[in-house]
Short mmCIF file of all heavy atoms in Angstrom, two decimals:
data_model
loop_
_atom_site.label_atom_id
_atom_site.label_comp_id
_atom_site.label_asym_id
_atom_site.label_seq_id
_atom_site.Cartn_x
_atom_site.Cartn_y
_atom_site.Cartn_z
N LYS A 119 -16.48 29.41 0.32
CA LYS A 119 -17.83 29.34 0.86
C LYS A 119 -18.32 27.90 0.82
O LYS A 119 -18.08 27.19 -0.16
CB LYS A 119 -18.78 30.22 0.05
CG LYS A 119 -18.50 31.69 0.18
CD LYS A 119 -19.49 32.49 -0.60
CE LYS A 119 -19.14 33.96 -0.50
NZ LYS A 119 -19.98 34.79 -1.36
N LEU A 120 -18.99 27.49 1.88
CA LEU A 120 -19.57 26.16 1.91
C LEU A 120 -20.77 26.13 0.98
O LEU A 120 -21.68 26.96 1.09
CB LEU A 120 -19.99 25.78 3.33
CG LEU A 120 -20.55 24.38 3.50
CD1 LEU A 120 -19.50 23.32 3.17
CD2 LEU A 120 -21.05 24.19 4.94
N ARG A 121 -20.77 25.21 0.04
CA ARG A 121 -21.83 25.12 -0.96
C ARG A 121 -22.52 23.77 -0.86
O ARG A 121 -21.88 22.76 -0.61
CB ARG A 121 -21.28 25.26 -2.37
CG ARG A 121 -20.34 26.41 -2.59
CD ARG A 121 -21.07 27.68 -2.84
NE ARG A 121 -20.08 28.71 -3.14
CZ ARG A 121 -20.39 29.90 -3.53
NH1 ARG A 121 -21.64 30.24 -3.68
NH2 ARG A 121 -19.46 30.78 -3.76
N ASP A 122 -23.83 23.78 -1.10
CA ASP A 122 -24.57 22.54 -1.26
C ASP A 122 -24.34 22.05 -2.68
O ASP A 122 -24.35 22.84 -3.61
CB ASP A 122 -26.07 22.76 -1.07
CG ASP A 122 -26.43 23.08 0.36
OD1 ASP A 122 -25.80 22.53 1.27
OD2 ASP A 122 -27.34 23.90 0.57
N ILE A 123 -24.16 20.76 -2.84
CA ILE A 123 -24.11 20.17 -4.17
C ILE A 123 -25.45 19.47 -4.34
O ILE A 123 -25.73 18.47 -3.68
CB ILE A 123 -22.94 19.18 -4.32
CG1 ILE A 123 -21.63 19.89 -4.00
CG2 ILE A 123 -22.92 18.60 -5.73
CD1 ILE A 123 -20.44 18.98 -3.97
N SER A 124 -26.27 20.02 -5.19
CA SER A 124 -27.65 19.54 -5.29
C SER A 124 -27.70 18.15 -5.92
O SER A 124 -26.89 17.81 -6.77
CB SER A 124 -28.49 20.51 -6.13
OG SER A 124 -28.14 20.41 -7.49
N PRO A 125 -28.69 17.35 -5.51
CA PRO A 125 -28.87 16.04 -6.15
C PRO A 125 -29.06 16.17 -7.65
O PRO A 125 -28.56 15.35 -8.42
CB PRO A 125 -30.13 15.49 -5.47
CG PRO A 125 -30.17 16.17 -4.15
CD PRO A 125 -29.60 17.55 -4.39
N ARG A 126 -29.73 17.22 -8.09
CA ARG A 126 -29.95 17.44 -9.53
C ARG A 126 -28.61 17.60 -10.26
O ARG A 126 -28.40 17.05 -11.33
CB ARG A 126 -30.82 18.67 -9.73
CG ARG A 126 -31.15 18.95 -11.17
CD ARG A 126 -32.16 20.10 -11.27
NE ARG A 126 -32.44 20.36 -12.66
CZ ARG A 126 -32.10 21.48 -13.27
NH1 ARG A 126 -31.49 22.44 -12.62
NH2 ARG A 126 -32.38 21.65 -14.55
N TYR A 127 -27.70 18.36 -9.68
CA TYR A 127 -26.39 18.58 -10.29
C TYR A 127 -25.59 17.28 -10.34
O TYR A 127 -24.96 16.95 -11.34
CB TYR A 127 -25.64 19.67 -9.52
CG TYR A 127 -24.29 20.01 -10.11
CD1 TYR A 127 -24.19 20.66 -11.33
CD2 TYR A 127 -23.12 19.69 -9.44
CE1 TYR A 127 -22.97 20.97 -11.88
CE2 TYR A 127 -21.89 20.00 -9.98
CZ TYR A 127 -21.82 20.64 -11.20
OH TYR A 127 -20.59 20.95 -11.73
N ILE A 128 -25.63 16.53 -9.25
CA ILE A 128 -24.92 15.24 -9.20
C ILE A 128 -25.48 14.29 -10.25
O ILE A 128 -24.73 13.63 -10.96
CB ILE A 128 -24.97 14.63 -7.79
CG1 ILE A 128 -24.14 15.50 -6.83
CG2 ILE A 128 -24.47 13.19 -7.80
CD1 ILE A 128 -24.26 15.11 -5.37
N LYS A 129 -26.81 14.24 -10.36
CA LYS A 129 -27.43 13.37 -11.38
C LYS A 129 -27.02 13.80 -12.78
O LYS A 129 -26.77 12.95 -13.64
CB LYS A 129 -28.95 13.39 -11.24
CG LYS A 129 -29.45 12.62 -10.06
CD LYS A 129 -30.96 12.73 -9.95
CE LYS A 129 -31.47 12.09 -8.67
NZ LYS A 129 -32.90 12.30 -8.50
N LEU A 130 -26.95 15.09 -13.02
CA LEU A 130 -26.55 15.60 -14.33
C LEU A 130 -25.12 15.15 -14.66
O LEU A 130 -24.85 14.69 -15.77
CB LEU A 130 -26.64 17.13 -14.36
CG LEU A 130 -26.15 17.82 -15.62
CD1 LEU A 130 -27.09 17.52 -16.78
CD2 LEU A 130 -26.05 19.32 -15.39
N LEU A 131 -24.23 15.26 -13.69
CA LEU A 131 -22.83 14.88 -13.93
C LEU A 131 -22.63 13.38 -14.07
O LEU A 131 -21.67 12.94 -14.70
CB LEU A 131 -21.94 15.38 -12.79
CG LEU A 131 -21.57 16.86 -12.83
CD1 LEU A 131 -20.77 17.22 -11.60
CD2 LEU A 131 -20.81 17.20 -14.09
N THR A 132 -23.50 12.61 -13.46
CA THR A 132 -23.28 11.16 -13.44
C THR A 132 -24.32 10.39 -14.24
O THR A 132 -24.55 9.22 -13.98
CB THR A 132 -23.27 10.64 -11.99
OG1 THR A 132 -24.51 10.96 -11.38
CG2 THR A 132 -22.12 11.24 -11.20
N ASN A 133 -24.93 11.02 -15.24
CA ASN A 133 -25.97 10.33 -15.99
C ASN A 133 -25.40 9.11 -16.72
O ASN A 133 -24.21 9.02 -16.96
CB ASN A 133 -26.72 11.28 -16.93
CG ASN A 133 -25.90 11.68 -18.12
OD1 ASN A 133 -25.35 10.85 -18.83
ND2 ASN A 133 -25.81 12.98 -18.37
N LYS A 134 -26.27 8.18 -17.09
CA LYS A 134 -25.82 6.90 -17.64
C LYS A 134 -25.05 7.03 -18.94
O LYS A 134 -24.08 6.32 -19.17
CB LYS A 134 -27.02 5.97 -17.83
CG LYS A 134 -27.60 5.50 -16.52
CD LYS A 134 -28.76 4.57 -16.73
CE LYS A 134 -29.33 4.16 -15.38
NZ LYS A 134 -30.46 3.27 -15.53
N LYS A 135 -25.45 7.95 -19.81
CA LYS A 135 -24.72 8.11 -21.07
C LYS A 135 -23.30 8.60 -20.80
O LYS A 135 -22.35 8.13 -21.40
CB LYS A 135 -25.45 9.10 -21.98
CG LYS A 135 -26.71 8.57 -22.58
CD LYS A 135 -27.36 9.59 -23.48
CE LYS A 135 -28.69 9.06 -24.00
NZ LYS A 135 -29.40 10.07 -24.78
N LEU A 136 -23.19 9.56 -19.89
CA LEU A 136 -21.87 10.08 -19.55
C LEU A 136 -21.02 8.98 -18.92
O LEU A 136 -19.86 8.80 -19.26
CB LEU A 136 -22.03 11.25 -18.59
CG LEU A 136 -20.80 12.06 -18.25
CD1 LEU A 136 -20.24 12.70 -19.51
CD2 LEU A 136 -21.14 13.11 -17.22
N TRP A 137 -21.62 8.23 -18.02
CA TRP A 137 -20.91 7.14 -17.34
C TRP A 137 -20.46 6.10 -18.35
O TRP A 137 -19.32 5.64 -18.32
CB TRP A 137 -21.83 6.55 -16.30
CG TRP A 137 -21.28 5.38 -15.53
CD1 TRP A 137 -21.91 4.22 -15.32
CD2 TRP A 137 -20.02 5.27 -14.88
NE1 TRP A 137 -21.12 3.38 -14.58
CE2 TRP A 137 -19.94 4.00 -14.30
CE3 TRP A 137 -18.92 6.10 -14.75
CZ2 TRP A 137 -18.84 3.54 -13.60
CZ3 TRP A 137 -17.81 5.65 -14.04
CH2 TRP A 137 -17.79 4.40 -13.48
N ALA A 138 -21.31 5.74 -19.29
CA ALA A 138 -20.94 4.77 -20.32
C ALA A 138 -19.76 5.29 -21.15
O ALA A 138 -18.85 4.54 -21.49
CB ALA A 138 -22.13 4.46 -21.21
N ALA A 139 -19.77 6.57 -21.46
CA ALA A 139 -18.67 7.15 -22.23
C ALA A 139 -17.36 7.05 -21.46
O ALA A 139 -16.31 6.76 -22.04
CB ALA A 139 -18.97 8.61 -22.57
N HIS A 140 -17.41 7.24 -20.15
CA HIS A 140 -16.18 7.14 -19.36
C HIS A 140 -15.68 5.71 -19.30
O HIS A 140 -14.48 5.47 -19.35
CB HIS A 140 -16.41 7.68 -17.95
CG HIS A 140 -16.63 9.14 -17.95
ND1 HIS A 140 -15.74 10.03 -18.49
CD2 HIS A 140 -17.66 9.88 -17.50
CE1 HIS A 140 -16.21 11.24 -18.37
NE2 HIS A 140 -17.38 11.17 -17.78
N LEU A 141 -16.59 4.77 -19.21
CA LEU A 141 -16.16 3.37 -19.20
C LEU A 141 -15.51 3.01 -20.54
O LEU A 141 -14.52 2.31 -20.58
CB LEU A 141 -17.34 2.44 -18.92
CG LEU A 141 -17.83 2.42 -17.49
CD1 LEU A 141 -19.04 1.52 -17.37
CD2 LEU A 141 -16.75 1.98 -16.54
N GLN A 142 -16.07 3.52 -21.63
CA GLN A 142 -15.49 3.24 -22.94
C GLN A 142 -14.13 3.89 -23.10
O GLN A 142 -13.28 3.40 -23.83
CB GLN A 142 -16.43 3.71 -24.05
CG GLN A 142 -17.66 2.84 -24.15
CD GLN A 142 -18.66 3.39 -25.16
OE1 GLN A 142 -18.49 4.47 -25.69
NE2 GLN A 142 -19.71 2.63 -25.41
N SER A 143 -13.89 5.00 -22.41
CA SER A 143 -12.60 5.66 -22.51
C SER A 143 -11.55 4.99 -21.61
O SER A 143 -10.44 5.46 -21.50
CB SER A 143 -12.71 7.14 -22.17
OG SER A 143 -12.96 7.31 -20.79
N LYS A 144 -11.96 3.91 -20.96
CA LYS A 144 -11.08 3.08 -20.14
C LYS A 144 -10.60 3.76 -18.85
O LYS A 144 -9.60 3.37 -18.29
CB LYS A 144 -9.87 2.60 -20.95
CG LYS A 144 -10.26 1.72 -22.11
CD LYS A 144 -9.04 1.20 -22.80
CE LYS A 144 -9.47 0.36 -23.98
NZ LYS A 144 -8.38 -0.08 -24.77
N LEU A 145 -11.32 4.78 -18.41
CA LEU A 145 -11.01 5.30 -17.10
C LEU A 145 -11.48 4.28 -16.09
O LEU A 145 -12.52 3.66 -16.26
CB LEU A 145 -11.71 6.64 -16.85
CG LEU A 145 -11.22 7.81 -17.70
CD1 LEU A 145 -12.00 9.07 -17.34
CD2 LEU A 145 -9.74 8.04 -17.52
N GLU A 146 -10.73 4.11 -15.04
CA GLU A 146 -11.04 3.08 -14.06
C GLU A 146 -11.48 3.69 -12.75
O GLU A 146 -11.00 4.73 -12.35
CB GLU A 146 -9.79 2.25 -13.74
CG GLU A 146 -9.23 1.47 -14.87
CD GLU A 146 -8.00 0.72 -14.43
OE1 GLU A 146 -7.97 0.23 -13.30
OE2 GLU A 146 -7.07 0.64 -15.21
N ILE A 147 -12.37 2.99 -12.09
CA ILE A 147 -12.66 3.27 -10.70
C ILE A 147 -11.85 2.25 -9.91
O ILE A 147 -11.94 1.06 -10.15
CB ILE A 147 -14.15 3.06 -10.38
CG1 ILE A 147 -14.99 4.12 -11.08
CG2 ILE A 147 -14.39 3.11 -8.88
CD1 ILE A 147 -16.46 3.94 -10.85
#
Side-chain angles (χ1 to χ4, degrees):
K119 292 182 183 174
L120 183 64
R121 311 277 184 173
D122 291 324
I123 303 174
S124 73
R126 183 174 179 246
Y127 183 69
I128 292 172
K129 286 177 186 175
L130 176 69
L131 282 177
T132 59
N133 73 51
K134 290 181 182 180
K135 288 181 184 175
L136 188 62
W137 178 229
H140 292 304
L141 286 177
Q142 289 174 354
S143 70
K144 298 184 182 174
L145 292 180
E146 296 180 37
I147 292 178

